[in-house]
Amino acid sequence: QYRTDRKAWNDRRGRVRRSPEGLEPMQLVMCDVHHVDVLVQRTDGTTATPKMIAWMDVATHRLRVDLVLCEPGTGIRNADLIDSFIDMTADPGWGMPGGLYVDNGSEFRFADFLADAMQLRGVRVHAQGEGGPVKRSTPYEGSSKGLLEGTFRTLQQACWAPLQGFIGGDRMNSKAATLGQPQAPFPGGFEAFAAVVRNG
């Protein structure tokens, strides 16, 4: 199973319960990209689901998000994540983290260049183990980002499910009020949806 179905093998492993006790605010920040299951309309009339770049302070569980509506046939880029990281560090309520816990995807390659900048903060990242202030999650092991994954589930069920344009996790299923017709997008386009997300 380890060789043929790594995710199933990881799902059956025993888990260690970790606590934020002893962590200072911004000592360790998690980042992940989540696909938002709400259809919005682009300016050219096509529809797409936005991507959410989420940052979570592990010590306080505060969440900061940026939304990106990718062009057709594209996905989140290094540049999108870099812009979001810079916005976080410039935000007076956030700033420079002491360490980053990121996915192992290629879009997070930029994080390797941030180690020196984070070390200037002078915070020892106890939760990182060896290898410096940038830590990458293990492939196929969603539980390593359990804090963020649980938050995404809560956002989907409590905040997005009631909205027009919500398609759930199944993009091929066009049920809802349109009785088999394509799902109507969120009214007002991407900027209107981003405003709803920003305002909670």
Side-chain angles (χ1 to χ4, degrees), residues 11-44:
D11 288 346
R12 295 179 56 176
R13 293 174 61 197
R15 302 296 175 197
V16 175
R17 190 172 183 82
R18 293 183 172 88
S19 165
E21 186 177 352
L23 282 178
E24 299 175 12
M26 294 300 290
Q27 183 173 339
L28 181 62
V29 172
M30 273 186 181
C31 181
D32 199 9
V33 176
H34 182 70
H35 301 271
V36 179
D37 293 327
V38 177
L39 276 180
V40 298
Q41 193 169 45
R42 297 188 180 99
T43 53
D44 65 0

PDB file of all heavy atoms in Angstrom, residues 11-44:
ATOM      1  N   ASP A  11      -3.198   7.896   5.684  1.00  0.00           N
ATOM      2  CA  ASP A  11      -4.442   8.094   6.432  1.00  0.00           C
ATOM      3  C   ASP A  11      -4.585   7.104   7.581  1.00  0.00           C
ATOM      4  O   ASP A  11      -5.264   7.383   8.571  1.00  0.00           O
ATOM      5  CB  ASP A  11      -5.651   7.968   5.497  1.00  0.00           C
ATOM      6  CG  ASP A  11      -5.778   9.166   4.557  1.00  0.00           C
ATOM      7  OD1 ASP A  11      -5.102  10.191   4.811  1.00  0.00           O
ATOM      8  OD2 ASP A  11      -6.526   9.057   3.572  1.00  0.00           O
ATOM      9  N   ARG A  12      -3.952   5.934   7.466  1.00  0.00           N
ATOM     10  CA  ARG A  12      -4.083   4.897   8.499  1.00  0.00           C
ATOM     11  C   ARG A  12      -3.011   4.981   9.583  1.00  0.00           C
ATOM     12  O   ARG A  12      -3.049   4.233  10.554  1.00  0.00           O
ATOM     13  CB  ARG A  12      -4.027   3.509   7.832  1.00  0.00           C
ATOM     14  CG  ARG A  12      -5.196   3.241   6.911  1.00  0.00           C
ATOM     15  CD  ARG A  12      -5.084   1.884   6.255  1.00  0.00           C
ATOM     16  NE  ARG A  12      -4.970   0.822   7.251  1.00  0.00           N
ATOM     17  CZ  ARG A  12      -4.939  -0.467   6.954  1.00  0.00           C
ATOM     18  NH1 ARG A  12      -5.020  -0.836   5.686  1.00  0.00           N
ATOM     19  NH2 ARG A  12      -4.825  -1.373   7.888  1.00  0.00           N
ATOM     20  N   ARG A  13      -2.080   5.891   9.432  1.00  0.00           N
ATOM     21  CA  ARG A  13      -1.000   5.998  10.421  1.00  0.00           C
ATOM     22  C   ARG A  13      -1.501   6.630  11.714  1.00  0.00           C
ATOM     23  O   ARG A  13      -2.452   7.388  11.743  1.00  0.00           O
ATOM     24  CB  ARG A  13       0.144   6.863   9.867  1.00  0.00           C
ATOM     25  CG  ARG A  13       0.878   6.251   8.707  1.00  0.00           C
ATOM     26  CD  ARG A  13       1.868   7.234   8.140  1.00  0.00           C
ATOM     27  NE  ARG A  13       2.878   7.631   9.111  1.00  0.00           N
ATOM     28  CZ  ARG A  13       3.656   8.687   8.995  1.00  0.00           C
ATOM     29  NH1 ARG A  13       3.525   9.482   7.956  1.00  0.00           N
ATOM     30  NH2 ARG A  13       4.553   8.963   9.906  1.00  0.00           N
ATOM     31  N   GLY A  14      -0.805   6.313  12.814  1.00  0.00           N
ATOM     32  CA  GLY A  14      -1.083   6.970  14.080  1.00  0.00           C
ATOM     33  C   GLY A  14      -0.673   8.428  14.027  1.00  0.00           C
ATOM     34  O   GLY A  14       0.212   8.806  13.256  1.00  0.00           O
ATOM     35  N   ARG A  15      -1.309   9.267  14.830  1.00  0.00           N
ATOM     36  CA  ARG A  15      -1.057  10.695  14.801  1.00  0.00           C
ATOM     37  C   ARG A  15      -0.541  11.190  16.144  1.00  0.00           C
ATOM     38  O   ARG A  15      -0.872  10.644  17.196  1.00  0.00           O
ATOM     39  CB  ARG A  15      -2.337  11.468  14.467  1.00  0.00           C
ATOM     40  CG  ARG A  15      -2.948  11.069  13.138  1.00  0.00           C
ATOM     41  CD  ARG A  15      -2.037  11.407  11.977  1.00  0.00           C
ATOM     42  NE  ARG A  15      -2.568  10.927  10.713  1.00  0.00           N
ATOM     43  CZ  ARG A  15      -1.862  10.799   9.617  1.00  0.00           C
ATOM     44  NH1 ARG A  15      -0.593  11.108   9.612  1.00  0.00           N
ATOM     45  NH2 ARG A  15      -2.409  10.357   8.506  1.00  0.00           N
ATOM     46  N   VAL A  16       0.258  12.248  16.088  1.00  0.00           N
ATOM     47  CA  VAL A  16       0.736  12.929  17.286  1.00  0.00           C
ATOM     48  C   VAL A  16      -0.045  14.232  17.407  1.00  0.00           C
ATOM     49  O   VAL A  16      -0.103  15.012  16.454  1.00  0.00           O
ATOM     50  CB  VAL A  16       2.249  13.235  17.187  1.00  0.00           C
ATOM     51  CG1 VAL A  16       2.701  14.050  18.392  1.00  0.00           C
ATOM     52  CG2 VAL A  16       3.041  11.946  17.088  1.00  0.00           C
ATOM     53  N   ARG A  17      -0.660  14.443  18.551  1.00  0.00           N
ATOM     54  CA  ARG A  17      -1.432  15.672  18.756  1.00  0.00           C
ATOM     55  C   ARG A  17      -0.496  16.785  19.201  1.00  0.00           C
ATOM     56  O   ARG A  17       0.190  16.663  20.212  1.00  0.00           O
ATOM     57  CB  ARG A  17      -2.519  15.428  19.800  1.00  0.00           C
ATOM     58  CG  ARG A  17      -3.520  16.560  19.899  1.00  0.00           C
ATOM     59  CD  ARG A  17      -4.679  16.167  20.799  1.00  0.00           C
ATOM     60  NE  ARG A  17      -5.680  17.209  20.860  1.00  0.00           N
ATOM     61  CZ  ARG A  17      -6.623  17.393  19.960  1.00  0.00           C
ATOM     62  NH1 ARG A  17      -6.683  16.596  18.908  1.00  0.00           N
ATOM     63  NH2 ARG A  17      -7.512  18.361  20.080  1.00  0.00           N
ATOM     64  N   ARG A  18      -0.473  17.876  18.438  1.00  0.00           N
ATOM     65  CA  ARG A  18       0.409  18.994  18.752  1.00  0.00           C
ATOM     66  C   ARG A  18      -0.396  20.146  19.347  1.00  0.00           C
ATOM     67  O   ARG A  18      -1.567  20.307  19.050  1.00  0.00           O
ATOM     68  CB  ARG A  18       1.150  19.462  17.505  1.00  0.00           C
ATOM     69  CG  ARG A  18       2.140  18.433  17.000  1.00  0.00           C
ATOM     70  CD  ARG A  18       2.908  18.953  15.796  1.00  0.00           C
ATOM     71  NE  ARG A  18       3.972  18.038  15.432  1.00  0.00           N
ATOM     72  CZ  ARG A  18       3.822  17.020  14.625  1.00  0.00           C
ATOM     73  NH1 ARG A  18       2.638  16.762  14.103  1.00  0.00           N
ATOM     74  NH2 ARG A  18       4.835  16.237  14.330  1.00  0.00           N
ATOM     75  N   SER A  19       0.262  20.928  20.169  1.00  0.00           N
ATOM     76  CA  SER A  19      -0.376  22.061  20.823  1.00  0.00           C
ATOM     77  C   SER A  19       0.398  23.337  20.501  1.00  0.00           C
ATOM     78  O   SER A  19       1.624  23.313  20.389  1.00  0.00           O
ATOM     79  CB  SER A  19      -0.391  21.835  22.343  1.00  0.00           C
ATOM     80  OG  SER A  19      -0.691  23.037  23.020  1.00  0.00           O
ATOM     81  N   PRO A  20      -0.317  24.474  20.370  1.00  0.00           N
ATOM     82  CA  PRO A  20       0.384  25.745  20.143  1.00  0.00           C
ATOM     83  C   PRO A  20       0.981  26.332  21.425  1.00  0.00           C
ATOM     84  O   PRO A  20       1.574  27.402  21.388  1.00  0.00           O
ATOM     85  CB  PRO A  20      -0.722  26.650  19.594  1.00  0.00           C
ATOM     86  CG  PRO A  20      -1.979  26.117  20.201  1.00  0.00           C
ATOM     87  CD  PRO A  20      -1.772  24.634  20.311  1.00  0.00           C
ATOM     88  N   GLU A  21       0.826  25.621  22.538  1.00  0.00           N
ATOM     89  CA  GLU A  21       1.326  26.131  23.811  1.00  0.00           C
ATOM     90  C   GLU A  21       2.826  26.418  23.718  1.00  0.00           C
ATOM     91  O   GLU A  21       3.607  25.595  23.259  1.00  0.00           O
ATOM     92  CB  GLU A  21       1.069  25.119  24.927  1.00  0.00           C
ATOM     93  CG  GLU A  21       1.427  25.625  26.310  1.00  0.00           C
ATOM     94  CD  GLU A  21       1.097  24.612  27.396  1.00  0.00           C
ATOM     95  OE1 GLU A  21       0.459  23.592  27.078  1.00  0.00           O
ATOM     96  OE2 GLU A  21       1.500  24.836  28.535  1.00  0.00           O
ATOM     97  N   GLY A  22       3.234  27.595  24.148  1.00  0.00           N
ATOM     98  CA  GLY A  22       4.642  27.968  24.117  1.00  0.00           C
ATOM     99  C   GLY A  22       5.053  28.708  22.859  1.00  0.00           C
ATOM    100  O   GLY A  22       6.142  29.281  22.807  1.00  0.00           O
ATOM    101  N   LEU A  23       4.199  28.696  21.832  1.00  0.00           N
ATOM    102  CA  LEU A  23       4.514  29.441  20.604  1.00  0.00           C
ATOM    103  C   LEU A  23       4.137  30.908  20.770  1.00  0.00           C
ATOM    104  O   LEU A  23       3.094  31.235  21.330  1.00  0.00           O
ATOM    105  CB  LEU A  23       3.743  28.866  19.412  1.00  0.00           C
ATOM    106  CG  LEU A  23       4.241  27.574  18.772  1.00  0.00           C
ATOM    107  CD1 LEU A  23       3.299  27.159  17.659  1.00  0.00           C
ATOM    108  CD2 LEU A  23       5.652  27.727  18.237  1.00  0.00           C
ATOM    109  N   GLU A  24       4.989  31.792  20.275  1.00  0.00           N
ATOM    110  CA  GLU A  24       4.664  33.210  20.249  1.00  0.00           C
ATOM    111  C   GLU A  24       3.854  33.522  18.987  1.00  0.00           C
ATOM    112  O   GLU A  24       3.984  32.826  17.985  1.00  0.00           O
ATOM    113  CB  GLU A  24       5.944  34.047  20.230  1.00  0.00           C
ATOM    114  CG  GLU A  24       6.841  33.861  21.429  1.00  0.00           C
ATOM    115  CD  GLU A  24       8.135  34.636  21.282  1.00  0.00           C
ATOM    116  OE1 GLU A  24       8.212  35.480  20.354  1.00  0.00           O
ATOM    117  OE2 GLU A  24       9.054  34.406  22.077  1.00  0.00           O
ATOM    118  N   PRO A  25       3.015  34.579  19.024  1.00  0.00           N
ATOM    119  CA  PRO A  25       2.326  34.988  17.792  1.00  0.00           C
ATOM    120  C   PRO A  25       3.325  35.233  16.663  1.00  0.00           C
ATOM    121  O   PRO A  25       4.375  35.829  16.862  1.00  0.00           O
ATOM    122  CB  PRO A  25       1.625  36.291  18.205  1.00  0.00           C
ATOM    123  CG  PRO A  25       1.402  36.143  19.671  1.00  0.00           C
ATOM    124  CD  PRO A  25       2.610  35.387  20.183  1.00  0.00           C
ATOM    125  N   MET A  26       3.001  34.714  15.500  1.00  0.00           N
ATOM    126  CA  MET A  26       3.800  34.841  14.281  1.00  0.00           C
ATOM    127  C   MET A  26       5.110  34.060  14.329  1.00  0.00           C
ATOM    128  O   MET A  26       5.955  34.199  13.452  1.00  0.00           O
ATOM    129  CB  MET A  26       4.093  36.305  13.958  1.00  0.00           C
ATOM    130  CG  MET A  26       2.848  37.099  13.597  1.00  0.00           C
ATOM    131  SD  MET A  26       1.985  36.452  12.140  1.00  0.00           S
ATOM    132  CE  MET A  26       3.126  36.851  10.828  1.00  0.00           C
ATOM    133  N   GLN A  27       5.283  33.214  15.336  1.00  0.00           N
ATOM    134  CA  GLN A  27       6.490  32.393  15.371  1.00  0.00           C
ATOM    135  C   GLN A  27       6.463  31.343  14.268  1.00  0.00           C
ATOM    136  O   GLN A  27       7.494  31.023  13.683  1.00  0.00           O
ATOM    137  CB  GLN A  27       6.614  31.707  16.735  1.00  0.00           C
ATOM    138  CG  GLN A  27       7.895  30.888  16.873  1.00  0.00           C
ATOM    139  CD  GLN A  27       8.080  30.358  18.278  1.00  0.00           C
ATOM    140  OE1 GLN A  27       7.515  30.881  19.223  1.00  0.00           O
ATOM    141  NE2 GLN A  27       8.873  29.327  18.409  1.00  0.00           N
ATOM    142  N   LEU A  28       5.262  30.833  13.982  1.00  0.00           N
ATOM    143  CA  LEU A  28       5.111  29.841  12.920  1.00  0.00           C
ATOM    144  C   LEU A  28       3.810  30.125  12.185  1.00  0.00           C
ATOM    145  O   LEU A  28       2.746  30.203  12.794  1.00  0.00           O
ATOM    146  CB  LEU A  28       5.090  28.429  13.501  1.00  0.00           C
ATOM    147  CG  LEU A  28       4.966  27.275  12.496  1.00  0.00           C
ATOM    148  CD1 LEU A  28       6.155  27.260  11.546  1.00  0.00           C
ATOM    149  CD2 LEU A  28       4.848  25.942  13.219  1.00  0.00           C
ATOM    150  N   VAL A  29       3.899  30.284  10.865  1.00  0.00           N
ATOM    151  CA  VAL A  29       2.728  30.576  10.039  1.00  0.00           C
ATOM    152  C   VAL A  29       2.594  29.495   8.976  1.00  0.00           C
ATOM    153  O   VAL A  29       3.562  29.163   8.289  1.00  0.00           O
ATOM    154  CB  VAL A  29       2.850  31.970   9.383  1.00  0.00           C
ATOM    155  CG1 VAL A  29       1.730  32.200   8.365  1.00  0.00           C
ATOM    156  CG2 VAL A  29       2.819  33.056  10.447  1.00  0.00           C
ATOM    157  N   MET A  30       1.382  28.934   8.859  1.00  0.00           N
ATOM    158  CA  MET A  30       1.082  27.948   7.825  1.00  0.00           C
ATOM    159  C   MET A  30       0.524  28.655   6.606  1.00  0.00           C
ATOM    160  O   MET A  30      -0.198  29.652   6.736  1.00  0.00           O
ATOM    161  CB  MET A  30      -0.004  26.986   8.317  1.00  0.00           C
ATOM    162  CG  MET A  30       0.473  25.802   9.073  1.00  0.00           C
ATOM    163  SD  MET A  30      -0.974  24.742   9.395  1.00  0.00           S
ATOM    164  CE  MET A  30      -0.146  23.457  10.308  1.00  0.00           C
ATOM    165  N   CYS A  31       0.819  28.115   5.440  1.00  0.00           N
ATOM    166  CA  CYS A  31       0.227  28.651   4.213  1.00  0.00           C
ATOM    167  C   CYS A  31      -0.241  27.507   3.329  1.00  0.00           C
ATOM    168  O   CYS A  31       0.431  26.474   3.217  1.00  0.00           O
ATOM    169  CB  CYS A  31       1.236  29.515   3.452  1.00  0.00           C
ATOM    170  SG  CYS A  31       0.532  30.230   1.935  1.00  0.00           S
ATOM    171  N   ASP A  32      -1.405  27.705   2.717  1.00  0.00           N
ATOM    172  CA  ASP A  32      -1.903  26.713   1.765  1.00  0.00           C
ATOM    173  C   ASP A  32      -2.804  27.421   0.761  1.00  0.00           C
ATOM    174  O   ASP A  32      -3.295  28.523   1.019  1.00  0.00           O
ATOM    175  CB  ASP A  32      -2.683  25.610   2.486  1.00  0.00           C
ATOM    176  CG  ASP A  32      -2.820  24.351   1.637  1.00  0.00           C
ATOM    177  OD1 ASP A  32      -2.168  24.262   0.568  1.00  0.00           O
ATOM    178  OD2 ASP A  32      -3.581  23.444   2.028  1.00  0.00           O
ATOM    179  N   VAL A  33      -2.995  26.778  -0.381  1.00  0.00           N
ATOM    180  CA  VAL A  33      -3.885  27.289  -1.414  1.00  0.00           C
ATOM    181  C   VAL A  33      -5.117  26.395  -1.450  1.00  0.00           C
ATOM    182  O   VAL A  33      -5.004  25.172  -1.489  1.00  0.00           O
ATOM    183  CB  VAL A  33      -3.199  27.302  -2.795  1.00  0.00           C
ATOM    184  CG1 VAL A  33      -4.181  27.736  -3.881  1.00  0.00           C
ATOM    185  CG2 VAL A  33      -1.986  28.229  -2.769  1.00  0.00           C
ATOM    186  N   HIS A  34      -6.292  27.018  -1.420  1.00  0.00           N
ATOM    187  CA  HIS A  34      -7.547  26.265  -1.397  1.00  0.00           C
ATOM    188  C   HIS A  34      -8.425  26.700  -2.564  1.00  0.00           C
ATOM    189  O   HIS A  34      -8.510  27.885  -2.889  1.00  0.00           O
ATOM    190  CB  HIS A  34      -8.273  26.522  -0.073  1.00  0.00           C
ATOM    191  CG  HIS A  34      -9.542  25.754   0.071  1.00  0.00           C
ATOM    192  ND1 HIS A  34      -9.561  24.384   0.238  1.00  0.00           N
ATOM    193  CD2 HIS A  34     -10.835  26.157   0.069  1.00  0.00           C
ATOM    194  CE1 HIS A  34     -10.813  23.975   0.341  1.00  0.00           C
ATOM    195  NE2 HIS A  34     -11.601  25.020   0.242  1.00  0.00           N
ATOM    196  N   HIS A  35      -9.074  25.728  -3.191  1.00  0.00           N
ATOM    197  CA  HIS A  35      -9.994  26.017  -4.290  1.00  0.00           C
ATOM    198  C   HIS A  35     -11.365  26.325  -3.701  1.00  0.00           C
ATOM    199  O   HIS A  35     -11.967  25.470  -3.050  1.00  0.00           O
ATOM    200  CB  HIS A  35     -10.066  24.831  -5.254  1.00  0.00           C
ATOM    201  CG  HIS A  35      -8.743  24.473  -5.844  1.00  0.00           C
ATOM    202  ND1 HIS A  35      -8.273  25.030  -7.008  1.00  0.00           N
ATOM    203  CD2 HIS A  35      -7.757  23.656  -5.408  1.00  0.00           C
ATOM    204  CE1 HIS A  35      -7.063  24.555  -7.277  1.00  0.00           C
ATOM    205  NE2 HIS A  35      -6.731  23.721  -6.318  1.00  0.00           N
ATOM    206  N   VAL A  36     -11.856  27.534  -3.916  1.00  0.00           N
ATOM    207  CA  VAL A  36     -13.147  27.953  -3.377  1.00  0.00           C
ATOM    208  C   VAL A  36     -14.256  27.428  -4.288  1.00  0.00           C
ATOM    209  O   VAL A  36     -14.237  27.672  -5.497  1.00  0.00           O
ATOM    210  CB  VAL A  36     -13.222  29.493  -3.276  1.00  0.00           C
ATOM    211  CG1 VAL A  36     -14.584  29.927  -2.740  1.00  0.00           C
ATOM    212  CG2 VAL A  36     -12.101  30.013  -2.387  1.00  0.00           C
ATOM    213  N   ASP A  37     -15.218  26.720  -3.715  1.00  0.00           N
ATOM    214  CA  ASP A  37     -16.254  26.061  -4.509  1.00  0.00           C
ATOM    215  C   ASP A  37     -17.443  26.977  -4.803  1.00  0.00           C
ATOM    216  O   ASP A  37     -18.599  26.607  -4.602  1.00  0.00           O
ATOM    217  CB  ASP A  37     -16.722  24.791  -3.792  1.00  0.00           C
ATOM    218  CG  ASP A  37     -15.637  23.730  -3.741  1.00  0.00           C
ATOM    219  OD1 ASP A  37     -14.843  23.659  -4.695  1.00  0.00           O
ATOM    220  OD2 ASP A  37     -15.584  22.972  -2.761  1.00  0.00           O
ATOM    221  N   VAL A  38     -17.153  28.189  -5.263  1.00  0.00           N
ATOM    222  CA  VAL A  38     -18.198  29.136  -5.654  1.00  0.00           C
ATOM    223  C   VAL A  38     -17.856  29.664  -7.042  1.00  0.00           C
ATOM    224  O   VAL A  38     -16.746  30.174  -7.261  1.00  0.00           O
ATOM    225  CB  VAL A  38     -18.307  30.313  -4.655  1.00  0.00           C
ATOM    226  CG1 VAL A  38     -19.350  31.313  -5.134  1.00  0.00           C
ATOM    227  CG2 VAL A  38     -18.657  29.809  -3.265  1.00  0.00           C
ATOM    228  N   LEU A  39     -18.793  29.534  -7.974  1.00  0.00           N
ATOM    229  CA  LEU A  39     -18.575  30.051  -9.327  1.00  0.00           C
ATOM    230  C   LEU A  39     -18.717  31.564  -9.344  1.00  0.00           C
ATOM    231  O   LEU A  39     -19.687  32.110  -8.808  1.00  0.00           O
ATOM    232  CB  LEU A  39     -19.613  29.468 -10.290  1.00  0.00           C
ATOM    233  CG  LEU A  39     -19.359  28.095 -10.915  1.00  0.00           C
ATOM    234  CD1 LEU A  39     -20.519  27.739 -11.834  1.00  0.00           C
ATOM    235  CD2 LEU A  39     -18.053  28.077 -11.681  1.00  0.00           C
ATOM    236  N   VAL A  40     -17.748  32.245  -9.947  1.00  0.00           N
ATOM    237  CA  VAL A  40     -17.856  33.687 -10.169  1.00  0.00           C
ATOM    238  C   VAL A  40     -17.594  33.954 -11.651  1.00  0.00           C
ATOM    239  O   VAL A  40     -16.973  33.147 -12.338  1.00  0.00           O
ATOM    240  CB  VAL A  40     -16.875  34.490  -9.290  1.00  0.00           C
ATOM    241  CG1 VAL A  40     -17.155  34.276  -7.819  1.00  0.00           C
ATOM    242  CG2 VAL A  40     -15.432  34.146  -9.627  1.00  0.00           C
ATOM    243  N   GLN A  41     -18.069  35.092 -12.099  1.00  0.00           N
ATOM    244  CA  GLN A  41     -17.940  35.427 -13.519  1.00  0.00           C
ATOM    245  C   GLN A  41     -16.756  36.348 -13.746  1.00  0.00           C
ATOM    246  O   GLN A  41     -16.577  37.336 -13.029  1.00  0.00           O
ATOM    247  CB  GLN A  41     -19.225  36.088 -14.013  1.00  0.00           C
ATOM    248  CG  GLN A  41     -19.325  36.191 -15.528  1.00  0.00           C
ATOM    249  CD  GLN A  41     -20.717  36.589 -15.978  1.00  0.00           C
ATOM    250  OE1 GLN A  41     -21.312  37.504 -15.413  1.00  0.00           O
ATOM    251  NE2 GLN A  41     -21.245  35.910 -16.978  1.00  0.00           N
ATOM    252  N   ARG A  42     -15.944  36.000 -14.754  1.00  0.00           N
ATOM    253  CA  ARG A  42     -14.849  36.886 -15.176  1.00  0.00           C
ATOM    254  C   ARG A  42     -15.422  38.043 -15.994  1.00  0.00           C
ATOM    255  O   ARG A  42     -16.586  38.022 -16.401  1.00  0.00           O
ATOM    256  CB  ARG A  42     -13.830  36.121 -16.022  1.00  0.00           C
ATOM    257  CG  ARG A  42     -13.110  34.978 -15.315  1.00  0.00           C
ATOM    258  CD  ARG A  42     -12.002  34.468 -16.230  1.00  0.00           C
ATOM    259  NE  ARG A  42     -11.254  33.368 -15.650  1.00  0.00           N
ATOM    260  CZ  ARG A  42     -11.457  32.082 -15.939  1.00  0.00           C
ATOM    261  NH1 ARG A  42     -12.405  31.743 -16.805  1.00  0.00           N
ATOM    262  NH2 ARG A  42     -10.718  31.148 -15.379  1.00  0.00           N
ATOM    263  N   THR A  43     -14.588  39.031 -16.265  1.00  0.00           N
ATOM    264  CA  THR A  43     -15.030  40.186 -17.052  1.00  0.00           C
ATOM    265  C   THR A  43     -15.377  39.796 -18.485  1.00  0.00           C
ATOM    266  O   THR A  43     -16.160  40.479 -19.145  1.00  0.00           O
ATOM    267  CB  THR A  43     -13.944  41.276 -17.075  1.00  0.00           C
ATOM    268  OG1 THR A  43     -12.711  40.702 -17.506  1.00  0.00           O
ATOM    269  CG2 THR A  43     -13.764  41.873 -15.682  1.00  0.00           C
ATOM    270  N   ASP A  44     -14.796  38.678 -18.983  1.00  0.00           N
ATOM    271  CA  ASP A  44     -15.105  38.254 -20.355  1.00  0.00           C
ATOM    272  C   ASP A  44     -16.350  37.379 -20.433  1.00  0.00           C
ATOM    273  O   ASP A  44     -16.694  36.866 -21.494  1.00  0.00           O
ATOM    274  CB  ASP A  44     -13.905  37.536 -20.980  1.00  0.00           C
ATOM    275  CG  ASP A  44     -13.573  36.221 -20.278  1.00  0.00           C
ATOM    276  OD1 ASP A  44     -14.269  35.860 -19.296  1.00  0.00           O
ATOM    277  OD2 ASP A  44     -12.606  35.551 -20.683  1.00  0.00           O
TER     278      ASP A  44
END
